[in-house]
Each structure stands twice: as structure tokens, then as C-alpha cells.
Amino acid sequence: MALNNTYEARLVQQETAVGAGVQILLLALLGSAIGMGPAGWLTGLVFAIASWAVLSRALHRSRLRSFGPANRVTLGRATLVGGVTALVADSFESSPPVTLLVGLTAVALILDGVDGKVARRTGTSTALGARFDMEVDAFLILVLSVYVSMQLGPWVLLIGAMRYAFLAAAKLAPWLNAPLPPSFARKTVAAIQGVCLLLAGSELLPHAANMAVALLALISLTWSFGRDVLWLWRTSRTVAEAPVLEAREEMLELVAR
């Protein structure tokens, strides 16, 4: 049994290594196609190595016996996000190939709706898979906000940085780590972030329209985070007050006797 578990663990780890290899292959293709500079290459390689290391560690800790089809889809999306990241980094040195950047981003956004469905249909939903999917989404939004900010201004960075600011705040306020109830509105707001940033960065609309689209994304995201934070705060207050109320009721019962 121990040998079987070791063999399965190696197979799972091999899939992450294959993902890193495919990422490097995509960088090579992009480099040969557009003549990508050092910034793009370095950023893409760092992304590939960091993704492989973090995912390998997470898989080791979760002890999954199979990587699963849904995680393979998410890994494919992560590969595309790595390509987008390299192109955005390269855009600081030269004009970016907008069509290529938009194409990679569009495919990554489309696949965002695939991995969850695959996980549910195959019965392979896991906490690690959900977290993996979430982190890929969040990083893509961060990268897109960096790209769009070069056209519309640094305020756009608030879109990509908001989730990471929330995670940082949760270190200081542990009540922010409590699980949130499912919300269709939250999922909708999260989904439109990538679409809005992609539209604003595609240069298809006038500057004023791009500003409006990006502002819509920021306002909706701020509303969504604000609503969740308020719910978490109220819930934490209710939980904190519950023991006090119970003690008060016990005291009243004793007095009544």
C-alpha cells in the first residue's frame, strides 16, 4: 500500500513538472514569434518556476492521489496566464502584440468556466482545486490591471490589488478568514473583472469608454468586497456576543430560582 501511495504521489508531482515544461515551451514560442525581450523572458520563467514550486508543495501537503481532469484544465489556464504575464512584462520595453495578448487572455477567461464544470461532472472537486482556480483567476486580474493601468492610470491597479489587500488584512483581523456563504452576485462580479479589463486593454473602444469600463469593474468589485467584509464583521460580532448572552441567561435563570 505504501508503495502504491508513493507511486501515485510521484505521478501527481510529474504533472506539475509537465505543466512547467509546457509553460517554458509557450515562452519559447512567444519569444520566437515576437522577439520577446529579457523582461518578458525573466518574468515568464519566474512565473513558471514559482507556480511549479507552490503547486507541488500544495499537492504534497494535500496528499491527493490523483491530479484530476479539472486541475489539468486549471493548469492549462495557468500556462496561458504565464504567457500573458510575460507579454505584459515585455510591454514595458516595447509595444505589446495586442492581438496575441487579447487572444491568450480570452482563452484563459473562457476556460475559467470549464474547470468547475469538469470537477462537478467527474466528482473530483477538492479544496485544493478550488483554491488553485481562485489563485489563477486573481493573478490574471492583477496582471491585466497592471497592463491597463499603463493606459488609464495607476488607479486601475486597485482592481488587481484588492484581493491581496484583503488577504493581508486577514492576517491582522482573523475574523476575515471565516467562510462566506455562496453568492451569485459575488461570482458575477468576479467574472466581469477579467472581461472588463480585457475590453479596456484591447484598444477597441475610445479612451473615455475604456475608462468607463474599468471604472465599472472597480466600483462593482469594491461593492462586492465591502458587502462581504460587512457580513463577516457582523457574523464575528454575533459569535463573540453569543457566550455573553448565554451567561446572562444562566444568571437570570439562577435569580429566578
Side-chain angles (χ1 to χ4, degrees):
M1 181 65 70
L3 290 176
N4 288 337
N5 290 339
T6 301
Y7 177 72
E8 290 168 351
R10 286 179 179 175
L11 288 179
V12 171
Q13 294 293 343
Q14 284 175 2
E15 297 213 37
T16 64
V18 170
V22 173
Q23 177 72 81
I24 294 173
L25 176 61
L26 176 61
L27 290 176
L29 293 174
L30 292 175
S32 61
I34 66 170
M36 194 161 56
W41 271 105
L42 179 60
T43 304
L45 289 173
V46 169
F47 178 89
I49 295 171
S51 299
W52 168 77
V54 172
L55 184 56
S56 296
R57 179 176 174 79
L59 287 169
H60 177 73
R61 295 177 64 180
S62 65
R63 300 184 181 277
L64 286 182
R65 300 181 64 181
S66 173
F67 195 61
N71 284 335
R72 294 189 185 101
V73 175
T74 308
L75 185 60
R77 286 202 302 115
T79 301
L80 296 174
V81 171
V84 174
T85 302
L87 291 176
V88 171
D90 191 62
S91 68
F92 284 91
E93 296 181 338
S94 59
S95 298
V98 178
T99 302
L100 183 57
L101 189 148
V102 168
L104 290 177
T105 304
V107 175
L109 291 174
I110 291 171
L111 289 177
D112 185 28
V114 174
D115 44 13
K117 292 180 180 179
V118 171
R120 289 188 293 271
R121 290 182 180 180
T122 58
T124 55
S125 299
T126 62
L128 174 62
R131 182 64 182 272
F132 184 25
D133 176 57
M134 185 184 303
E135 295 302 334
V136 172
D137 292 342
F139 193 79
L140 176 59
I141 298 303
L142 176 62
V143 171
L144 290 177
S145 68
V146 170
Y147 178 67
V148 177
S149 71
M150 291 188 286
Q151 306 170 30
L152 303 182
W155 63 270
V156 183
L157 294 173
L158 293 172
I159 299 174
M162 199 169 299
R163 179 175 180 274
Y164 296 100
F166 178 85
L167 293 177
K171 298 291 185 180
L172 302 175
W175 53 269
L176 289 171
N177 290 313
L180 287 163
S183 170
F184 178 77
R186 186 188 309 118
K187 292 180 179 180
T188 302
V189 170
I192 69 172
Q193 298 305 305
V195 176
C196 287
L197 289 173
L198 177 61
L199 184 60
S202 64
E203 302 179 0
L204 295 175
L205 302 175
H207 181 78
N210 288 334
M211 289 283 289
V213 168
L215 188 60
L216 171 64
L218 178 59
I219 292 173
S220 62
L221 190 63
T222 302
W223 169 81
S224 180
F225 269 100
R227 189 185 67 156
D228 287 344
V229 169
L230 181 60
W231 186 91
L232 289 168
W233 180 75
R234 288 175 174 173
T235 302
S236 68
R237 292 292 299 271
T238 301
V239 172
E241 292 173 358
V244 177
L245 293 175
E246 290 179 2
R248 185 177 300 172
E249 290 177 359
E250 291 177 358
M251 289 293 295
L252 291 174
E253 289 179 1
L254 290 174
V255 171
R257 290 175 184 174

